[in-house]
Amino acid sequence: VAGGSASEIAALVAGAMAASGEMTFPLFGVDDRIIDFSQFKPRGHYTTDPRLQRYFRAMMWLGRIDFPFLHTDAGSGKQVLVRRSVAAGFALRGLMDSAAIDRWKRLDSVIRAFVGEPDSMTPMEIDRLKTELGLDSYDVSGISDDALTAAIVKGAYGKQKILSQIVIQAPHEGAWPLDAVFLFFGQRYTFDSHVFSNVVYDRVAKRMMPNPLDVAYAALGNDHAAKLSEKDLRAYPYVGALESMRQLGDEHGSAFWDANLYNLWSGALRTLSPGVEIAQGGGLPAVARTEPWARRILNTQLASWAQLRRDTILYVKQSYTSGVACEFPDAYVDPYPAFFAKLQAFATAGAKVVESLSFAEGAYRPNLIRDYFGNLGRVTSTLREMAELQRTGMPHKAEHLAFINKAVDVQVIGCGGPPGLRGWYAELFFDPDNALEFEPTIADVHTQPTDQAGSPVGHVLHVGTGWVRQMVTTIDTCMGPRAYVGLSSSYHEHVTSNYERLNDADWAKRFENDKVPADVPWMESLIAK
């Protein structure tokens, strides 16, 4: 254990394996650090294989257990230097030889391409700070506390945007600064987590739990979400904080929204939000300018966002508190060509990421990974063309109708074998053989350690998906109204206590024996039961 305490290390490992809640533990120079061990419970797609479970726990440690260079005192709100953390961070970087640096950069580049940049200081930034301090080695013992503090503050080293730890502070007004931290493989900044972090205490007085509608409004740009948030907006003083995050999201250009696969997908969802051109018509049918349709779009956005968070649960830093058409054939796709165009861009970017990877000999079916992005690009290209024709009132081409008719083909493989799914819809799954499986997903997205009085509650906000739903809608055409039947996502929200974090298997049990978790209140009136 390189001079460390074997018993303390065993206690930390036991806490991570139990994954049952919080523990106060002295670590890296902070005596009252509170570790939320519930984060170490394997979730998402990491539950099926013991090797993935080990990887999950290891990366969760590297991504969440930080070295606080500047620590915010829980009593005064003032930041103090933690020399032991600084020395440990520098020593860790000093132990990395060129081979280790190369491996670190390769893994970091893949995670950046998929999710984004860390919300913390990285090992490579240690080199920059070392140069600014005028050091020839990774030994900081000769640098004074004042000099270290000044350099860290001046360079904004380790400055965080998202609070992702349990922090118990004395009652106070206003927002105290977050610790400046170094992490070996810090979890990644995403705009939705930034939104959550900025609309709860202590950024907002008394508001202890955010609402996913905050993300829908500020990150996905859906104005309808604000209307549905009226009760919350009246109860808590967070209008300014929410609007500032919305403005920040709107001001972000393509350099941000196209920076990685996570942002590209989020940017695609943003294109579905009703804008000025949709409100004025713009080739959309009358039904797409109705309030129920707006809620349906909102539901779709949040369902997709919930799946996105589940798929990136290990890497995303979790926060803690429509024109009338001339003619339509017997097929209709969602009338949002910009959305499908963004998904095309996502597929192109994903294919480039895959091409940059070197697969080890015997790697798990690398062709599936390559084929996935190719299939996604081809399908979204056709759907974009169909949406564009609908918006201009033009009929679909014969090949478009043929494409729709090849969406799904259920086949029985062998004599009495299980059904298999074929067609372009099945090809949108990473493994088409699993396309018929019911796999509800869940992701914990925010943690509330205490209530307003300071009593421990350990509330955890989850967002999830469930059964796909049949949707019936009427579109006005030049030949009169036509009814179309299709599918729509389901979206759920659930809050647990005592730091209970649900994984997909836990969530699936809620659907057993024909049970279905409660719907979000703003969707109940649209769902026939």
Side-chain angles (χ1 to χ4, degrees):
V1 297
S5 167
S7 62
E8 291 184 0
I9 291 173
L12 289 169
V13 172
M17 295 299 293
S20 59
E22 64 182 80
M23 179 191 297
T24 301
F25 206 95
L27 193 64
F28 305 144
V30 178
D31 293 334
D32 58 351
R33 178 193 291 262
I34 305 174
I35 300 177
D36 181 3
F37 281 110
S38 67
Q39 289 281 4
F40 287 87
K41 178 182 179 179
R43 308 186 295 285
H45 62 270
Y46 299 94
T47 61
T48 57
D49 188 319
R51 294 170 298 176
L52 288 177
Q53 293 175 13
R54 290 196 295 271
Y55 174 78
F56 181 94
R57 295 188 185 100
M59 287 300 290
M60 191 62 78
W61 177 271
L62 297 176
R64 289 190 53 80
I65 306 301
D66 56 44
F67 296 78
F69 281 18
L70 298 178
H71 176 58
T72 301
D73 180 75
S76 66
K78 296 180 179 179
Q79 288 199 308
V80 295
L81 179 74
V82 185
R83 176 172 281 277
R84 182 174 175 181
S85 271
V86 177
F90 270 75
L92 185 59
R93 170 61 186 90
L95 289 170
M96 297 173 69
D97 58 18
S98 59
I101 293 172
D102 180 61
R103 288 194 296 270
W104 185 94
K105 288 182 176 179
R106 284 161 54 198
L107 184 51
D108 177 68
S109 67
V110 173
I111 300 175
R112 283 178 185 262
F114 275 89
V115 187
E117 62 184 18
D119 188 36
S120 57
M121 188 178 181
T122 69
M124 299 304 103
E125 289 179 291
I126 292 285
D127 289 345
R128 184 158 59 92
L129 179 55
K130 170 175 166 282
T131 300
E132 292 180 5
L133 291 170
L135 293 172
D136 296 325
S137 69
Y138 293 98
D139 180 6
V140 296
S141 61
I143 307 296
S144 70
D145 288 359
D146 288 344
L148 277 175
T149 301
I152 293 170
V153 172
K154 181 180 178 181
Y157 289 103
K159 187 174 183 180
Q160 303 181 89
K161 298 183 179 71
I162 301 165
L163 174 64
S164 190
Q165 302 288 352
I166 297 177
V167 175
I168 308 298
Q169 300 171 329
H172 61 277
E173 296 181 0
W176 284 357
L178 304 180
D179 288 3
V181 301
F182 163 80
L183 281 146
F184 189 73
F185 257 120
Q187 290 184 312
R188 306 297 155 136
Y189 169 90
T190 62
F191 190 64
D192 49 350
S193 274
H194 193 186
V195 170
F196 268 172
S197 194
N198 271 28
V199 296
V200 293
Y201 183 80
D202 67 349
R203 270 55 190 164
V204 173
K206 300 182 180 180
R207 193 173 192 239
M208 306 305 289
M209 181 67 80
N211 189 322
L213 291 173
D214 302 334
V215 165
Y217 177 72
L220 304 183
N222 193 314
D223 293 337
H224 198 72
K227 300 177 183 178
L228 296 170
S229 302
E230 183 177 356
K231 183 178 179 180
D232 250 15
L233 290 167
R234 291 182 182 276
Y236 303 103
Y238 75 105
V239 173
L242 186 63
E243 281 298 332
S244 67
M245 294 307 297
R246 170 61 181 267
Q247 183 176 351
L248 180 60
D250 290 346
E251 288 176 352
H252 279 319
S254 59
F256 175 82
W257 292 111
D258 297 345
N260 52 71
L261 299 186
Y262 191 101
N263 286 10
L264 274 164
W265 194 275
S266 300
L269 296 179
R270 284 173 61 86
T271 66
L272 296 178
S273 296
V276 175
E277 74 284 359
I278 294 178
Q280 294 175 345
L284 289 176
V287 68
R289 300 193 298 276
T290 64
E291 197 272 345
W293 184 278
R295 274 186 283 159
R296 197 276 296 191
I297 289 296
L298 175 61
N299 179 80
T300 297
Q301 289 175 307
L302 286 176
S304 183
W305 168 70
Q307 289 181 313
L308 178 63
R309 285 295 295 259
R310 177 266 187 189
D311 291 342
T312 56
I313 199 162
L314 180 55
Y315 302 108
V316 171
K317 189 174 186 180
Q318 183 179 137
S319 54
Y320 258 60
T321 264
S322 264
V324 177
C326 181
E327 181 183 1
F328 293 103
D330 293 329
Y332 194 80
V333 303
D334 261 313
Y336 304 107
F339 170 73
F340 295 120
K342 277 289 187 180
L343 289 188
Q344 276 186 268
F346 175 87
T348 300
K352 290 181 179 178
V353 171
V354 172
E355 289 304 315
S356 69
L357 302 177
S358 56
F359 293 96
E361 186 175 350
Y364 176 73
R365 302 172 75 179
N367 286 338
L368 277 180
I369 304 175
R370 298 187 180 97
D371 291 346
Y372 169 78
F373 288 108
N375 291 332
L376 179 62
R378 286 189 290 273
V379 169
T380 52
S381 175
T382 300
L383 294 173
R384 176 185 54 79
E385 292 175 3
M386 296 180 71
E388 289 172 344
L389 289 173
Q390 290 173 177
R391 293 289 289 267
T392 58
M394 297 296 291
H396 290 310
K397 299 176 182 178
E399 55 265 33
H400 291 154
L401 295 177
F403 168 81
I404 291 296
N405 287 324
K406 292 179 181 178
V408 174
D409 181 18
V410 179
Q411 302 174 342
V412 175
I413 310 300
C415 181
L421 201 63
R422 297 295 181 265
W424 58 260
Y425 174 76
E427 293 173 354
L428 294 177
F429 288 79
F430 176 70
D431 188 345
D433 292 337
N434 295 331
L436 279 177
E437 304 239 347
F438 173 55
E439 295 181 331
T441 62
I442 190 87
D444 44 296
V445 296
H446 188 85
T447 305
Q448 174 193 336
T450 72
D451 62 15
Q452 295 181 29
S455 301
V457 291
H459 289 331
V460 180
L461 172 63
H462 295 73
V463 292
T465 61
W467 292 107
V468 67
R469 291 184 169 124
Q470 178 175 281
M471 170 187 167
V472 181
T473 188
T474 301
I475 305 295
D476 291 326
T477 74
C478 294
M479 299 174 64
R482 287 190 178 182
Y484 293 88
V485 181
L487 301 177
S488 183
S489 303
S490 64
Y491 168 73
H492 303 275
E493 299 168 3
H494 186 71
V495 176
T496 59
S497 301
N498 298 320
Y499 299 105
E500 180 187 9
R501 298 185 187 276
L502 305 178
N503 60 29
D504 291 351
D506 300 327
W507 184 237
K509 292 178 181 178
R510 309 286 176 116
F511 292 84
E512 293 177 352
N513 301 319
D514 296 324
K515 295 180 180 178
V516 178
D519 292 297
V520 288
W522 43 269
M523 278 299 292
E524 287 181 346
S525 64
L526 299 185
I527 300 171
K529 298 182 180 180

